[in-house]
Amino acid sequence: MSEPGLFDGVLAAGGVREAVSDTAWVQAMLDFESALAAALADIGLVERAHADLIATHCRAEFYDVAELARASVQTGNPAAPLVRALSDRVGDGHVHLGATSQDVIDTAAMITTRNAVAVLLDDVRAAARVAASLAREHIDTVQPGRTLLQQALPVTFGFTAAGWLVGLVEAADRLEAVQPALQFGGASGTLAALGDRGVEVAAALARRLDLAEPVLPWHTVRLRVAEPASALGALCGVLGTIARDITLLAQTEIGEVTEEGPPGSGGSSTMPHKHNPVAAVAVLGCAAQAPGLVATLLQAGVQEHQRAAGAWHSEWRPLRELLRTSGSAAHWLRTSLERLRAHPARMRANLASDVFAERITTELTPIVGRQRAHDAVTRCCASGGDLVEALAADPVVGARTSRERLTELSGMDYLGSARHFVERALRRAGE
């Protein structure tokens, strides 16, 4: 693997970076060639000994990635020089039989995507387990609910964490449902070089690689790329939303959560007092890159005839970058949640006294009508004084509701079905 880049510690963190490295891509292409030879032997088109010989030379460490990159300039893709280098080592004419360069790279993309997603999902599922633990622990911890960045009705921190949990579980399920598929069609998609045995070889090859066998080659029908791309983009939306919540709740003026990392984490280069939620910040930096990459991959779906000129090539880097940045975002969210500490006392202290105004409006509605009740309570909220006192003095409210009842309605038990929703979220996640 190449030397880590300056920004990789933040923007390419976690195990996905290695899973999509140059070495990993070369190995995936070689896995295709090895499996193809074995599939040809499975149906009797080549000798098993030839297939075994090819397999012994299908190891990425035998090949110079930099040299493959230089040689790819002549052919327009790195598969062709890799096949030539493999053939030179094997000295056998059965390497790459029936295939074309796009078959190699597309199938390698599917293998690499599958491997990278498996690493990424480990982090997403781990983050979901932490979110479940937070939801369970704080199922009754009252917290201000916020809409349009203003306090709304109270919720619980368990309810907040349950929202994170369901988002993670559903995004992971969607990504897990994507089925990477074999690409194998030869020069024009008909596998003409294999005569009438092409479909048999394709079936054997798909089994060998543990990939879905498509109805026919998908050289210019790029759903197999668009589907994981869309699922990764959606996942990054979930990861970014949770990280945004954490950064907002960790603001000095809010202080409802903090990241408690190892010594030195969250520090500032100039301000000793700072305690930044750096893991959540890193999630946002990674997740923000996903939409543009997804858009590029979707745009590449417009292709022509049996094999495209340029559109297929335009997928290579954005797909790898999307996997890498999504994997990094998942790694950092897991880290952030594992470091997260909730501050229930601060949540309770932050509750504004007027967030229970809706409850009082609801109490008055059967008596004076909804609009009149709403207007009266709004007027009292705007007074700027103690809300209970203002309500008690109001001619509409005070005349119909005792001070004792107003105090009771201003209590912190106006949580609706919050507990039930948390319990449902935990069941959905299997917790």
Side-chain angles (χ1 to χ4, degrees):
M1 191 165 60
S2 60
E3 181 181 354
L6 179 62
F7 303 113
D8 285 359
V10 175
L11 300 180
V16 171
R17 177 177 178 269
E18 185 174 353
V20 300
S21 68
D22 287 344
T23 300
W25 272 90
V26 171
Q27 187 58 60
M29 290 191 283
L30 290 167
D31 289 345
F32 172 88
E33 295 294 348
S34 176
L36 174 57
L40 290 165
D42 290 343
I43 67 167
L45 290 183
V46 303
E47 296 292 331
R48 180 66 62 187
H50 292 318
D52 292 343
L53 177 62
I54 291 170
T56 63
H57 293 281
C58 287
R59 294 172 57 182
E61 61 263 33
F62 294 160
Y63 303 90
D64 185 335
V65 172
E67 180 55 36
L68 292 174
R70 285 190 291 270
S72 69
V73 174
Q74 304 302 319
T75 56
N77 69 77
L82 179 62
V83 169
R84 178 174 292 276
L86 173 60
S87 298
D88 289 345
R89 289 183 64 91
V90 172
D92 181 86
H94 296 300
V95 171
H96 198 61
L97 181 61
T100 191
S101 295
Q102 186 171 352
D103 293 336
V104 181
I105 293 180
D106 277 351
T107 301
M110 295 292 97
I111 294 170
T112 301
T113 297
R114 179 181 64 192
N115 295 344
V117 165
V119 175
L120 179 153
L121 284 174
D122 283 345
D123 283 333
V124 175
R125 299 292 190 195
R129 288 192 293 272
V130 180
S133 178
L134 290 169
R136 190 180 299 107
E137 179 183 356
H138 294 284
I139 194 168
D140 293 319
T141 300
V142 179
Q143 178 189 32
R146 296 176 172 92
T147 63
L148 307 183
L149 294 177
Q150 304 294 310
Q151 284 203 27
L153 301 180
V155 295
T156 64
F157 185 57
F159 178 79
T160 297
W164 300 346
L165 170 62
V166 171
L168 290 168
V169 169
E170 293 185 352
D173 286 351
R174 180 181 178 190
L175 190 54
E176 203 167 45
V178 174
Q179 291 188 310
L182 171 71
Q183 177 73 286
F184 186 51
S188 293
T190 63
L191 291 174
L194 298 175
D196 62 356
R197 308 295 299 278
V199 173
E200 293 178 72
V201 177
L205 180 53
R207 287 194 298 270
R208 286 274 179 178
L209 293 170
D210 194 24
L211 294 171
E213 181 189 354
V215 174
L216 74 168
W218 44 276
H219 288 139
T220 55
V221 180
R222 308 305 288 176
L223 292 174
R224 301 294 183 173
V225 175
E227 287 170 352
S230 298
L232 288 166
L235 170 66
C236 282
V238 172
L239 300 175
T241 292
I242 298 170
R244 181 70 74 199
D245 280 351
I246 292 170
T247 56
L248 290 172
L249 294 174
Q251 291 178 100
T252 304
E253 294 82 358
I254 304 295
E256 294 178 12
V257 301
T258 50
E259 278 187 6
E260 303 294 338
S265 61
S268 164
S269 62
T270 59
M271 294 172 284
H273 69 283
K274 290 292 292 295
H275 187 76
N276 299 312
V278 290
V281 170
V283 176
L284 292 167
C286 295
Q289 299 176 59
L293 295 166
V294 174
T296 299
L297 291 167
L298 295 182
Q299 173 61 37
V302 179
Q303 303 198 6
E304 68 278 357
H305 303 310
Q306 281 67 54
R307 302 266 302 286
W312 162 56
H313 306 70
S314 73
E315 295 170 345
W316 305 340
R317 293 187 73 175
L319 178 60
R320 174 153 74 171
E321 289 305 312
L322 179 58
L323 287 164
R324 183 155 48 193
T325 201
S326 301
S328 187
H331 163 83
W332 282 119
L333 185 72
R334 174 182 183 173
T335 301
S336 179
L337 290 176
E338 288 174 344
R339 293 176 177 180
L340 202 68
R341 180 183 174 191
H343 301 289
R346 187 65 176 265
M347 294 175 184
R348 186 174 290 266
N350 283 344
L351 277 167
S353 62
D354 57 2
V355 298
F356 302 97
E358 185 201 59
R359 188 180 192 181
I360 297 165
T361 301
T362 301
E363 176 95 353
L364 284 172
T365 294
I367 304 171
V368 300
R370 185 185 179 283
Q371 196 58 57
R372 190 179 180 199
H374 176 82
D375 291 345
V377 175
T378 299
R379 183 171 59 249
C380 294
C381 290
S383 69
D386 180 85
L387 181 59
V388 171
E389 291 299 323
L391 290 166
D394 185 82
V396 174
V397 181
R400 294 165 176 83
T401 312
S402 69
R403 188 185 302 271
E404 291 74 18
R405 179 58 178 161
L406 290 171
T407 301
E408 181 182 341
L409 291 172
S410 299
M412 295 187 180
D413 60 343
Y414 191 52
L415 298 170
S417 298
R419 170 177 271 271
H420 296 296
F421 282 129
V422 174
E423 291 168 347
R424 289 175 63 175
L426 290 170
R427 287 195 297 272
R428 171 67 177 83
E431 293 286 339

